[in-house]
Amino acid sequence: MKLFGTALLAVGLTLTGCSGSDDKAADPNEKVTLTYGVWDQNQKQAMQELAAAFTQNHPNITVDVQLTPWEGYWTKLKAAVTGGAAPDVFWMNGPNFQLYASNKVIAPNPEQVDASVYPKALVDLYTFEGKQYGLPKDMDTIGVWYNKKLFDAKKVAYPSDGWTWADFQDAAAKLTDAKAGVYGTAAELTSFQEYQYNTIAQAGGYVISPDGKKSGYDDPKTIAGLKFWTDLLDKKQSPDLKTMTDTVPLQLFESGKVAMYWGGSWNVSEFTQNEYTKDKVDVAPLPKGEKQATIIHGVANVVGAKSAHPQQAWEFVKFLGSQPAADILGKSGPIPAYNGTQKAWVAKYPNLKLQTFLDEVSYAVPFPVSKNTAAWNEAELTYLTKAWNGQQPVDQASTELAKAMNDLLAKE
């Protein structure tokens, strides 16, 4: 799932007074209704199907799927947590996870489960202080969506599985047509999940150290990952920042003004329904820098620490993380996280090389997070905007960002 606007990914919250529920044995005959908080209207029907399937095998437990659109989800959840009325089970994302786990808003798993059935990077993303929280629901990786019509018009070969940064840069140069108002690609700044984080990893750099205490933005390799994009801006093979602010790159791609768009596996629904792109696009893996890398993210289902029915809630989470649940999800929703259940998702769109997104999992890098991701997400946008609009060289902007980010991390 795309995390819209990296600086707004995590809501900077102070969550206190959220101790766990009393540990009471559940009465197997007690009739219980669990609340389940989700944010995606497109997935609501699938979530209701999963809830119904769970109730078939647990007739004393019904599940009320409660949809709050992404724009208001975290604000509403904060209010619910503060008032002691958070859902029994709800969706969690990587940028918010450590904040909620460290403040004991969500409960660690009460028993050990076989985590090997999920990509390790996702399991690691939802592990805090050695404890696993919830279970991965879905996953997404990043690829290069490309416009075959524009490639054909310029007689540029379609991307191959083993292509490199140099190959991508060469294609961007050939596909850029100033007279036609067409750019080879778009160096977007507000979607780090799709852009900067990937090239930083491909360059051998890092955003945040494994212990969550140090910024990597002053590392020369990290800076090289950012320079990949600013070079494209300097060569006018990408729209400038103002143009991309006025018209987001997704819209430019869907109107034939951008030939290569770095996007997620979630874009398949959008591009197959859009009148312009539905018969003109395909997807390739991200190009290789010093190494191959893609950012992986995915939603986890977690249990609220104040749930009045923690055992039933955990049973529901275990079901949501099971193979039968993943099979249901894969027929209509995003890529299921459960290994080996993604074939239905790939088969649904036979004209696209969606296996690309699955093959990338083997070299995927977890989404970078800390206890207060939101604070330094905002700093990323503030400092790197100066490089993207030409106010500062990228190495200077990135080094200043590292200092500001280190100060923020020290306060965690």
Side-chain angles (χ1 to χ4, degrees), residues 126-204:
Y126 292 106
T127 299
F128 180 69
E129 294 183 343
K131 296 179 181 178
Q132 187 179 351
Y133 289 73
L135 294 175
K137 165 186 167 288
D138 56 42
M139 66 178 183
D140 46 65
T141 54
I142 309 301
V144 178
W145 292 93
Y146 61 94
N147 185 321
K148 294 184 291 185
K149 180 180 179 181
L150 295 178
F151 270 72
D152 292 343
K154 294 293 184 179
K155 295 182 172 54
V156 177
Y158 296 159
S160 64
D161 287 348
W163 71 328
T164 64
W165 276 16
D167 296 327
F168 179 87
Q169 291 158 344
D170 181 59
K174 292 176 179 176
L175 292 162
T176 298
D177 187 337
K179 290 183 179 179
V182 174
Y183 297 90
T185 191
E188 190 168 355
L189 182 60
T190 56
S191 296
F192 286 69
Q193 179 183 6
E194 297 149 274
Y195 296 86
Q196 293 77 17
Y197 290 166
N198 296 282
T199 50
I200 286 171
Q202 290 161 9

Side-chain angles (χ1 to χ4, degrees), residues 34-57 61-68 91 137 301 316 319-320 325 328-329 332-333:
L34 300 175
T35 51
Y36 181 29
V38 305
W39 64 63
D40 187 357
Q41 174 66 45
N42 293 329
Q43 294 187 53
K44 184 177 181 181
Q45 182 176 343
M47 296 307 102
Q48 290 173 329
E49 289 179 25
L50 288 168
F54 174 74
T55 299
Q56 282 186 342
N57 292 319
I61 308 174
T62 57
V63 179
D64 177 20
V65 179
Q66 299 181 340
L67 173 73
T68 303
W91 285 2
K137 165 186 167 288
N301 288 298
F316 183 47
F319 168 73
L320 292 173
I328 293 172
L329 181 66
S332 59

